[in-house]
Amino acid sequence: MRGTPKTISLRRRLICDLMHASMGVPFVSLSRSLNIRPVLEARAAATTPAGWAAMFVKAFALVARDEPILRTVYAKWPWPTLYELPKSVALVAIARIDHGEECVIPQRIAGPDTMTLAAVDAEIRHAKTAPVGDVPMFRKIMRATRLPLPLRRLSWAIGLNFGRQRGNWFGSFAVSSVAAYGGGELHPITPGPFIVSYGMVEADQTIHVVIRWDHRVTDAAPIARVLTRLEQVLNAEIAAELRSAGSKPIRAVGT
């Protein structure tokens, strides 16, 4: 069968590099439906509600502030070690159309637990809407992706295998979801160590959350606790911040 050869675009090359870097990571996943009624009510009443990605980014970072294992990465060089980062660094998968092509590019958010929810949301919205060349993280990634294959492999190896550089390039956790496109249980892969995915809000006021993690870093029991704590943080700290940001005005009803 005679087909049509197509050149791998810069955007697809990035995903090819990401998948190559993710090979060999021993991922395990745990999923659970979280009851999020309080945060749903707070979000419904907010004048300018934050997006779900921002809420999950900040909530996970708040949990990680008290759970150092969530800020720990596996590094191979100069010898295999577990490296604890001083703060959380999130990578958020941003769906874009660049040069007429649908693609996904990660946006880096450092220390989201110390930022306001509005600031986290603003960074994500900027990454979604600004020209790709105006987002510093996107420019940095695309510069590396333009390198010849041997240099790309070297740059990824340095970023992945030295603990300090993992925080600079790949963060301590990632957030990815297809809920905006109709939901579904997404099990994405990254170089690790943690990736959070969430589905659509269900009629019973629950949301399905999946955490995938590098089994070299931790085991299932701590992640089960993390899911419980994540539900608590969403319904407490995140809901409280939504309420403090201001409520929609109540419209008077004529009689």
Side-chain angles (χ1 to χ4, degrees), residues 74-99:
Y74 179 87
K76 293 181 180 179
W77 296 345
W79 48 79
T81 185
L82 296 179
Y83 188 90
E84 183 183 316
L85 298 171
K87 63 182 179 182
S88 291
V89 181
L91 285 187
V92 183
I94 306 293
R96 295 292 308 255
I97 296 179
D98 186 37
H99 290 77

Side-chain angles (χ1 to χ4, degrees), residues 141-206:
I141 290 172
M142 290 307 176
R143 279 199 303 268
T145 306
R146 287 187 179 93
L147 294 172
L149 181 61
L151 291 180
R152 292 205 317 276
R153 290 288 184 262
L154 177 61
S155 65
W156 277 73
I158 292 171
L160 281 169
N161 294 311
F162 287 106
R164 183 175 179 179
Q165 295 303 322
R166 283 294 294 264
N168 294 332
W169 281 91
F170 299 100
S172 56
F173 73 98
V175 173
S176 180
S177 174
V178 293
Y181 304 95
E185 188 171 296
L186 181 66
H187 291 262
I189 63 171
T190 71
F194 302 94
I195 183 164
V196 181
S197 180
Y198 57 90
M200 297 176 67
V201 177
E202 303 294 339
D204 60 356
Q205 298 183 314
T206 63

Side-chain angles (χ1 to χ4, degrees), residues 7-29:
T7 302
I8 298 176
S9 68
L10 197 65
R11 276 68 58 188
R12 298 319 303 168
R13 185 190 294 179
L14 169 62
I15 299 302
C16 291
D17 289 344
L18 179 65
M19 293 300 97
H20 181 271
S22 303
M23 292 171 57
V25 179
F27 276 113
V28 182
S29 64

